[in-house]
Amino acid sequence: MALERLDAALTVELQHLKDEGRGKAPERVITGCLPPDATHGRRYTLEGYDRPFLRMNSNSYLSLSFHPTLLEAADQAGRRYGVGPGAVRFIDGTSTPHSALEQRIAGFVGCPAARIFNSAYTANCGLALTLATSRTHWIGDQLNHNSIIRAMRIAGVPGANKGIYRHNDMDDLRRCLDEVDPVMERVVVIFDGIFSMRGDHAPIDRIVELCRDYHDRFRDGVITVVDDSHGIGAYGATGRGTVEFCGAMADIVVGTFGKAFGVNGGFIAASATIVEAVRQKADTYIYTNPLGAADCAAAAGAIDICDSGEGLALLANLQRRTGQLRAGLAALGLESIPGPHPIVPLLVRDTTATRRLVERLFEHGVLAVGLTYPVVPQGDETIRFQVNAGHTADDIDFLLSHLGV
């Protein structure tokens, strides 16, 4: 009875979302998967459907989720420490796998220290809560992920303390830096390493070089932050991400274990002082349970694989399959955004055509994501394909066969 009026109001709001094209479709339920064979990668089964599906919409770029090393590491840690931590980190919720993972990921990305979170989303929010003051100015790319945008709102960043530059436009970034009020004590320039809807990357080398010119204007300098969630493990010669690809290091690296590493959780890597400040000040770290020990052990195992010959082989196959898909789209006369990352967008540029093509792919057993107006501007309607190392040449050919006219 008490919820009748609230339910009615929310029903109207939900209908508005649907009418605007922003409503989410019912969630499909994965009921299982079929193992890979000699020619095809893993296939997934869905509730209510009697055929298997090829996933072209998974973030698991290295296909490590079913790796026996990770499964065994998770099983052993779960049996030793339990399936949950039992408390927040400050109240004896820290176990050996937590500390070991923090040391391992810091070394992998080339930073002195790291702190792990439930997700990269909560890591971004925690970082903003740590760094934000009344005299901190934030500058971000216009296509930054929602977690970065939300982090600044949670930290209470006022409009006067914020600048947005056009996507990957260094001249516009310079304009934003020029417009910072001289009374500001620190400036944070934050950006995605890989932009998740497009697959293109931030020019970290140029960003760092430009910010260096302004560093001495402010008491605490100009600090660069990259959220490389889609880059770590999947990009660069050895999977170190966008910083490796660009040959330049940001001051702070945010990332996830939930994409290329195939597990769960996020992290912040930086100087030991910044990481300690995060530990002391980030509400999204202090007041919530951490990852379970099983997730931590599996994530550490995934980093070990990435750092091995097997990892390099997986990365090489990922690059081959990505190249195959990009070449196939070009051969069909279809438009994409150039780049070597396994996020491969197909620019359809029409909402109705995008939805129809996604439906046609589904009917033929391919799962893909369509991005249509108003989620993207009119004329930018896109289907986002995500390649992973478990895909075979036949898998990519199968997808391409259903994209031709």
Side-chain angles (χ1 to χ4, degrees):
M1 177 67 70
L3 292 179
E4 285 182 356
R5 285 179 289 177
L6 177 59
D7 284 348
L10 290 175
T11 298
V12 173
E13 293 179 23
L14 293 170
Q15 187 61 46
H16 283 328
L17 289 174
K18 183 177 180 180
D19 293 343
E20 293 170 357
R22 295 190 293 129
K24 304 293 188 296
E27 295 170 10
R28 295 188 288 249
V29 178
I30 295 175
T31 58
C33 62
L34 305 176
D37 57 32
T39 57
H40 298 103
R42 198 174 299 276
R43 294 293 192 273
Y44 293 81
T45 55
L46 301 180
E47 186 177 88
Y49 297 91
D50 59 2
R51 66 164 304 156
F53 290 84
L54 169 66
R55 287 195 70 178
M56 296 301 304
N57 58 358
S58 170
N59 297 319
S60 188
Y61 298 117
L62 294 181
S63 299
L64 292 177
S65 295
F66 288 89
H67 196 288
T69 297
L70 273 63
L71 295 173
E72 177 64 19
D75 181 64
Q76 289 188 11
R79 291 181 183 279
R80 180 172 183 177
Y81 298 98
V83 296
V88 299
R89 293 285 296 270
F90 283 94
I91 308 178
D92 297 323
T94 299
S95 60
T96 300
H98 294 99
S99 301
L101 178 57
E102 286 167 342
Q103 293 174 17
R104 191 69 182 86
I105 191 60
F108 186 81
V109 300
C111 290
R115 190 61 40 170
I116 58 175
F117 284 74
N118 306 93
S119 66
Y121 203 111
T122 55
N124 275 325
C125 292
L127 181 65
L129 290 167
T130 300
L131 298 183
T133 68
S134 62
R135 293 196 176 185
T136 301
H137 191 95
W138 295 76
I139 300 175
D141 189 290
Q142 71 178 136
L143 297 186
N144 273 348
H145 189 265
N146 174 273
S147 62
I148 296 174
I149 297 168
R150 183 63 62 184
M152 286 190 279
R153 291 174 181 169
I154 289 173
V157 178
N161 287 27
K162 182 171 63 177
I164 305 297
Y165 61 93
R166 290 187 297 271
H167 179 54
N168 280 349
D169 187 329
M170 296 301 98
D171 290 335
D172 207 38
L173 172 56
R174 183 180 294 278
R175 174 191 62 80
C176 289
L177 288 163
D178 284 335
E179 291 178 353
V180 178
D181 191 322
V183 303
M184 292 293 108
E185 295 174 343
R186 69 182 65 150
V187 176
V188 180
V189 177
I190 187 167
F191 46 89
D192 286 350
I194 301 295
F195 292 88
S196 60
M197 298 302 174
R198 299 168 50 89
D200 58 349
H201 70 272
I204 298 180
D205 50 341
R206 296 169 60 201
I207 292 173
V208 169
E209 181 180 7
L210 177 56
C211 290
R212 189 178 295 119
D213 293 341
Y214 292 80
H215 189 71
D216 291 337
R217 296 190 185 186
F218 307 98
R219 188 196 70 180
D220 300 337
V222 179
I223 310 305
T224 54
V225 181
V226 58
D227 179 345
D228 207 19
S229 292
H230 285 272
I232 297 293
Y235 207 47
T238 64
R240 260 60 180 185
T242 310
V243 295
E244 181 177 41
F245 184 85
C246 294
M249 187 65 178
D251 297 304
I252 301 173
V253 178
V254 177
T256 183
F257 304 110
K259 293 182 170 57
F261 293 134
V263 191
N264 192 28
F267 66 87
I268 296 170
S271 68
T273 300
I274 288 175
V275 169
E276 176 61 13
V278 166
R279 194 178 76 91
Q280 296 288 348
K281 297 179 63 178
D283 289 356
T284 53
Y285 173 86
I286 298 169
Y287 296 106
T288 187
N289 276 2
L291 297 173
D295 276 330
C296 294
I303 298 171
D304 289 342
I305 291 171
C306 290
D307 233 358
S308 69
E310 180 184 2
L312 291 176
L314 289 170
L315 191 60
N317 189 58
L318 178 64
Q319 294 165 349
R320 285 193 296 269
R321 298 289 74 81
T322 300
Q324 179 188 355
L325 178 54
R326 290 186 178 276
L329 294 179
L332 291 170
L334 300 173
E335 183 183 3
S336 185
I337 297 174
H341 192 272
I343 292 176
V344 182
L346 170 58
L347 299 175
V348 183
R349 300 195 181 280
D350 179 83
T351 290
T352 300
T354 299
R355 290 174 177 167
R356 286 176 178 170
L357 183 50
V358 170
E359 290 171 1
R360 188 173 84 190
L361 290 170
F362 184 82
E363 291 168 359
H364 287 92
V366 179
L367 301 178
V369 174
L371 306 169
T372 59
Y373 177 81
V375 176
V376 296
Q378 285 183 319
D380 286 349
E381 292 86 353
T382 303
I383 298 176
R384 182 180 69 173
F385 297 118
Q386 291 170 278
V387 183
N388 67 63
H391 288 145
T392 67
D394 284 351
D395 290 335
I396 302 302
D397 284 342
F398 177 76
L399 168 62
L400 290 168
S401 71
H402 296 296
L403 292 176
V405 178

